[in-house]
Amino acid sequence: MATTKTPQSAGKLKGETPAKAPTLPAGADMPTSYAEQQGSGGETRQTTSDPALTMTTQQGISVADDQNSLKAGPRGPTLLEDFILREKIFHFDHERIPERVVHARGYGAHGVFELTDSLSEYTSADVLGTVGQQTETFVRFSTVAGNKGSFDLARDVRGFAVKFYTRQGNWDIVGNNIPVFFIQDPIKFPDLVHAVKQEPDRAFPQAQSAHDNYWDYASLSPEAWHMVMWQMSDRTIPRSFRTIEGFGVHSFRLVDKAGKSTFVKFHWKPRQGLQSVLWNEAVKINGADPDFHRRDLWQAIESGDFPQWDLGVQLFDQETADKLPFDHLDSTKLIPEEDVPVRLIGTLTLNRNVDNFFAETEQVAYCTQNIVPGIDFSDDPLLHGRNFSYLDTQLKRLGSPNFTHLPINAPRCPVMNFQQDGHMAMRNPKGRVNYEPNSWGADGGPRENPEIGFKSFPAEVQGTKQRIRSETFADHYSQARQFYISQQKIEQKHIGDALVFELSKVERVDIRARAVSHLRNIDAGLAATVADGLGMDLPDAAKAAKPTLDLAPSAKLSIIANGPDSFAGRKLGIFLTNGSKAALFKALTEAVTAERAIWEVIAPKIGGVTLDDGTKVAAKQKIDGGPSVLYDAVAILPSAEGAAMLAKDAASKDFVSDAFGHCKFIAHSAEAKALFDEARIPPERDEGFFPLADGKDAEGFIKACRDLRFWPREMKVDLDAKSVRK
Ligand code: HDE
């Protein structure tokens, strides 16, 4: 008897009568596709009589029972003959692929890139040529040091990797949210990564640089200190993936049709503005919602609030490069925007969440070597190391040279060559010819195309073979100082706080001292602040290969100077109790919605509250699960009775005192006073507090929230603020 299956009748053998659906008790809610019954173990069994819904093995054999393995007698032993059990467990045992060595924790989304300004004058790349052209993209954001299951708000660099599926093949910009890197030579990368990840004997700390090994390495590596300054800034605790910049870091080349080359650095500028959280907040968010960043991105896209970035380019020629006070091939340096302006040429919009995290986000394989005709590499040695590493790592992680056959990695343009076979090959050419040159004429398969094929820029190279670092890479502190003096006062304070925090976790005193010795070459005030914060004497300055230059500050390096101009896309937490004023709640939610921001209700019980006019409002969070760290600003609107009750509740008091300590804008009803008093909020309210009496107050409050925080408060609530440099 023929037993072949068609896709339409998958699961059903021809000529077979489907089993009868079991009957449910009268009145039971009968699902259309399956019936429910109790299994012999008391569990719910869901069976179907629809062949199209019938479960099968990987070989397509219909499964009658997925809850009980085949046993000799009801109490076993289990029989080896049970191929259904063995196949299911076998597949489960092999579900994991190795996580990425670095950037293991990440989150991806699909999007589209639209060109708004043509670069055809500089490059033959099709993707950068025609204004209005749209190119499909896939973006993956990540942290670097933590394992796949680590928390989102680690103090860490964020990866910002973009794959463009262009008509000329895949182009990847595998960048970070920081424009420079820790090291100048790829041979150092394994040591850097070993040093920052968990210490090998004890396997902790997870996802943090605050430990001896990291600071031992950094303090022995002067080239790392520009990046260390960025790492200790609030750039490494972003509010959202939506609020980070992206940088290609290295110089690349654009090459025009005539073969002329122009250097280029790539930038992603978030339309949402730069935003970060405070360190104490980050620590608490990690406990309250370890998935804070992925949830935020997923929710924004799911609700249609698509995040956008402008792609910017810094274009410069060799002559300009020669005038810079450092070498643009050194990845520990950036080119200030004041020296070479960023030209915005297109917009990236993330508009679709993945259907399957594993298939897309986990299996996407970015490679710095993925460039298209019209784009080429510079001589940056770090980039050359990466060009080897990314291809190599995909073989380990994805297990086959055919990783480009996976839908997330497959180019959207034709792929034709004579590479063949290998594990899991999906793209298998037909025909007799699998080599070239061949003389099979029209049946001979793809041919080279000297006209449009990729040609490397014919840069002249010469030199003696040697293991040496260029003298032009030797200034390690000037740009570190420039970064520090470009920060606003409160940002400088945060850098000092972060250094003190991290070095306080370092056990060896000599490592702490060696770290501070570098700060002396960067900024005397910062070095003094950190030494004081650590309770140690100021060490001698580290030996510098070159004197530190006084470069002009660059406003583009500050987060606060490049923040958002509205509260759009951010989240207000509204804390309600029974009897809260309906008029205030209504005015507030209207003002938030008008600003294109979102709000969430927190209440003593998840079932919600009844307002003073009898309206019932559902809660999104019960107070214990919705601490104020999950919100950008808060409104505390209890009734008098509610406030008296909350004043006795630890979680409610934490909600208020954290919002206060984290410098949030706080709207409140007059009745909230009882709670504020118990939470020991100072009775004199600063200008970050907004008493709400009517709808107009609500608008004023939301307008104030456009600023990230009420920063003047931080100087009052933080003991370390005393030591901030005047
Ligand atoms: Fe990476 N890096 N990297 N890196 N990197 C990887 O590739 C490497 C560097 C960056 O979301 C790995 O597919 C070397 C700089 C991102 O999938 C690996 C060196 C920058 C991602 C690797 C560097 C980055 C990675 C691990 C020094 C910013 C995540 C898994 C020469 C410009 C991409 C993988 C994603 C991932 C090697 C330095 C960014 C091991 C050898 C500089 C965003 O191949």
Side-chain angles (χ1 to χ4, degrees):
M1 191 181 78
T3 55
T4 40
K5 295 178 186 182
T6 60
Q8 292 78 14
S9 67
K12 180 195 162 200
L13 300 182
K14 264 194 195 154
E16 197 182 57
T17 349
K20 236 179 134 207
T23 39
L24 287 185
D29 197 9
M30 174 63 143
T32 50
S33 59
Y34 61 85
E36 289 198 347
Q37 59 183 13
Q38 212 175 30
S40 51
E43 76 278 21
T44 302
R45 292 194 60 201
Q46 298 172 328
T47 59
T48 184
S49 56
D50 182 346
L53 295 176
T54 298
M55 180 184 286
T56 73
T57 67
Q58 296 283 14
Q59 304 289 350
I61 315 302
S62 309
V63 173
D65 185 339
D66 189 43
Q67 305 276 326
N68 296 293
S69 52
L70 190 65
K71 295 178 212 72
R75 297 171 57 235
T78 309
L79 298 179
L80 197 57
E81 177 191 324
D82 188 351
F83 63 91
I84 295 177
L85 167 72
R86 277 186 292 119
E87 183 204 74
K88 187 173 174 185
I89 299 289
F90 150 80
H91 200 278
F92 171 75
D93 288 348
H94 298 275
E95 272 176 13
R96 293 288 175 276
I97 60 174
E99 66 174 37
R100 289 163 173 83
V101 193
V102 279
H103 296 265
R105 181 165 178 83
Y107 208 63
H110 297 269
V112 63
F113 171 72
E114 181 169 338
L115 195 73
T116 51
D117 185 11
S118 171
L119 286 184
S120 58
E121 191 189 330
Y122 298 97
T123 173
S124 59
D126 176 62
V127 58
L128 301 178
T130 313
V131 168
Q133 178 166 305
Q134 299 201 334
T135 304
E136 198 188 325
T137 59
F138 187 76
V139 177
R140 183 174 179 272
F141 301 104
S142 47
T143 53
V144 179
N147 293 345
K148 200 176 155 218
S150 56
F151 38 84
D152 277 352
L153 261 293
R155 175 180 293 285
D156 201 351
V157 180
R158 297 300 182 287
F160 191 135
V162 183
K163 190 180 283 296
F164 297 79
Y165 303 91
T166 88
R167 298 193 295 199
Q168 292 176 307
N170 287 354
W171 172 37
D172 296 351
I173 304 182
V174 198
N176 280 344
N177 73 332
I178 291 179
V180 291
F181 202 62
F182 291 103
I183 51 171
Q184 297 172 324
D185 193 302
I187 204 166
K188 289 166 172 260
F189 192 64
D191 297 295
L192 165 71
V193 173
H194 288 175
V196 73
K197 283 206 155 213
Q198 310 104 291
E199 299 189 0
D201 54 349
R202 58 208 70 184
F204 60 80
Q206 172 66 249
Q208 36 205 310
S209 52
H211 58 112
D212 284 65
N213 280 5
Y214 172 71
W215 285 100
D216 189 29
Y217 181 86
S219 65
L220 293 167
S221 308
E223 74 202 65
W225 279 79
H226 183 199
M227 177 89 165
V228 167
M229 295 303 287
W230 285 79
Q231 185 200 1
M232 293 298 109
S233 79
D234 294 343
R235 295 263 176 175
T236 47
I237 39 174
R239 155 66 177 86
S240 160
F241 290 135
R242 299 180 289 139
T243 61
I244 60 173
E245 282 182 296
F247 303 92
V249 176
H250 317 277
S251 297
F252 289 83
R253 289 175 188 276
L254 296 181
V255 185
D256 72 8
K257 288 199 176 77
K260 184 170 169 284
S261 146
T262 306
F263 290 118
V264 60
K265 278 187 183 276
F266 296 106
H267 296 243
W268 294 107
K269 301 259 183 200
R271 292 238 173 130
Q272 298 70 232
L274 294 182
Q275 302 175 39
S276 287
V277 299
L278 297 175
W279 173 241
N280 182 268
E281 217 180 336
V283 169
K284 292 173 178 168
I285 291 173
N286 284 332
D289 184 4
D291 304 310
F292 188 72
H293 281 157
R294 54 174 64 182
R295 189 189 306 280
D296 168 274
L297 183 68
W298 186 88
Q299 275 176 347
I301 295 175
E302 210 61 12
S303 71
D305 182 14
F306 300 144
Q308 291 190 308
W309 286 260
D310 289 315
L311 176 62
V313 287
Q314 282 180 302
L315 299 169
F316 57 102
D317 54 16
Q318 189 61 55
E319 210 185 328
T320 310
D322 291 342
K323 283 192 211 131
L324 297 170
F326 47 83
D327 197 330
H328 76 104
L329 300 180
D330 169 1
S331 279
T332 67
K333 308 294 187 299
L334 54 81
I335 305 182
E337 294 190 30
E338 287 76 6
D339 295 345
V340 177
V342 172
R343 173 168 158 186
L344 301 182
I345 58 158
T347 307
L348 166 73
T349 306
L350 295 185
N351 56 13
R352 185 160 60 89
N353 281 317
V354 297
D355 291 323
N356 183 286
F357 179 86
F358 177 80
E360 296 156 72
T361 308
E362 195 58 11
Q363 293 201 125
V364 66
Y366 295 97
C367 296
T368 52
Q369 62 160 17
N370 289 355
I371 51 171
V372 290
I375 300 176
D376 210 337
F377 310 116
S378 71
D379 286 346
D380 180 341
L382 201 71
L383 175 57
H384 301 160
R386 296 182 72 198
N387 287 344
F388 163 74
S389 182
Y390 289 71
L391 182 63
D392 183 52
T393 203
Q394 309 314 343
L395 192 60
K396 170 78 182 172
R397 246 174 28 81
L398 299 167
S400 160
N402 292 317
F403 70 87
T404 55
H405 297 197
L406 296 171
I408 195 68
N409 295 320
R412 305 302 189 245
C413 64
V415 173
M416 289 179 288
N417 55 50
F418 295 116
Q419 296 171 26
Q420 67 174 28
D421 304 349
H423 283 295
M424 312 289 170
M426 306 289 217
R427 214 170 46 216
N428 298 305
K430 293 181 181 154
R432 186 170 181 184
V433 187
N434 60 354
Y435 60 92
E436 58 107 23
N438 66 61
S439 60
W440 291 93
D443 293 332
R447 310 286 178 178
E448 306 163 348
N449 184 334
E451 250 166 72
I452 63 163
F454 183 88
K455 285 192 257 338
S456 292
F457 177 72
E460 273 189 26
V461 282
Q462 64 169 93
T464 319
K465 261 198 241 174
Q466 53 194 335
R467 293 183 184 271
I468 198 168
R469 202 85 51 80
S470 170
E471 160 71 19
T472 57
F473 285 27
D475 172 2
H476 301 311
Y477 301 113
S478 301
Q479 287 207 344
R481 173 183 291 178
Q482 180 180 40
F483 178 75
Y484 186 68
I485 62 167
S486 301
Q487 306 302 310
Q488 299 198 357
K489 204 152 236 168
I490 200 77
E491 295 174 307
Q492 291 187 336
K493 172 182 179 298
H494 292 171
I495 292 173
D497 290 349
L499 282 158
V500 172
F501 174 88
E502 297 259 323
L503 293 172
S504 297
K505 296 278 179 184
V506 168
E507 290 167 3
R508 268 180 45 197
V509 177
D510 59 315
I511 297 177
R512 287 185 213 148
R514 202 162 54 220
V516 177
S517 74
H518 293 283
L519 297 176
R520 293 205 61 177
N521 294 330
I522 296 170
D523 185 274
L526 176 63
T529 301
V530 174
D532 179 51
L534 292 169
M536 62 182 255
D537 293 336
L538 206 54
D540 290 341
K543 210 162 153 256
K546 284 195 169 176
T548 309
L549 305 173
D550 275 317
L551 302 172
S554 165
K556 296 287 181 192
L557 304 182
S558 151
I559 296 175
I560 295 178
N562 298 284
D565 50 16
S566 92
F567 191 56
R570 283 185 274 161
K571 207 187 252 183
L572 177 72
I574 308 179
F575 195 0
L576 300 177
T577 63
N578 282 333
S580 289
K581 290 200 175 90
L584 286 189
F585 177 63
K586 185 166 175 283
L588 198 55
T589 50
E590 279 173 5
V592 177
T593 309
E595 186 84 356
R596 292 190 303 109
I598 40 183
W599 50 270
E600 217 168 83
V601 168
I602 306 106
K605 290 187 181 161
I606 197 66
V609 297
T610 307
L611 303 180
D612 64 350
D613 67 349
T615 318
K616 289 201 183 322
V617 177
K620 177 79 181 173
Q621 301 284 358
K622 170 172 160 52
I623 177 64
D624 315 60
S628 60
V629 291
L630 300 183
Y631 306 101
D632 296 281
V634 295
I636 299 161
L637 309 177
S639 61
E641 209 178 48
M645 179 186 76
L646 299 182
K648 296 191 200 107
D649 176 51
S652 304
K653 286 188 275 186
D654 281 353
F655 187 96
V656 172
S657 71
D658 268 351
F660 177 73
H662 298 146
C663 304
K664 289 188 176 155
F665 290 102
I666 301 175
H668 60 93
S669 60
E671 293 77 13
K673 185 173 179 309
L675 174 59
F676 287 167
D677 289 347
E678 277 301 311
R680 301 191 179 277
I681 307 295
E684 64 287 356
R685 305 273 179 260
D686 62 39
E687 286 158 30
F689 282 86
F690 288 78
L692 293 191
D694 60 28
K696 249 172 112 203
D697 296 339
E699 272 171 39
F701 168 62
I702 298 299
K703 250 189 213 147
C705 291
R706 290 175 182 174
D707 283 345
L708 287 177
R709 295 295 157 86
F710 182 68
W711 293 119
R713 193 187 298 150
E714 184 168 356
M715 293 302 185
K716 295 206 183 102
V717 297
D718 185 351
L719 188 65
D720 293 334
K722 272 203 308 308
S723 52
V724 174
R725 201 159 60 101
K726 295 285 166 310

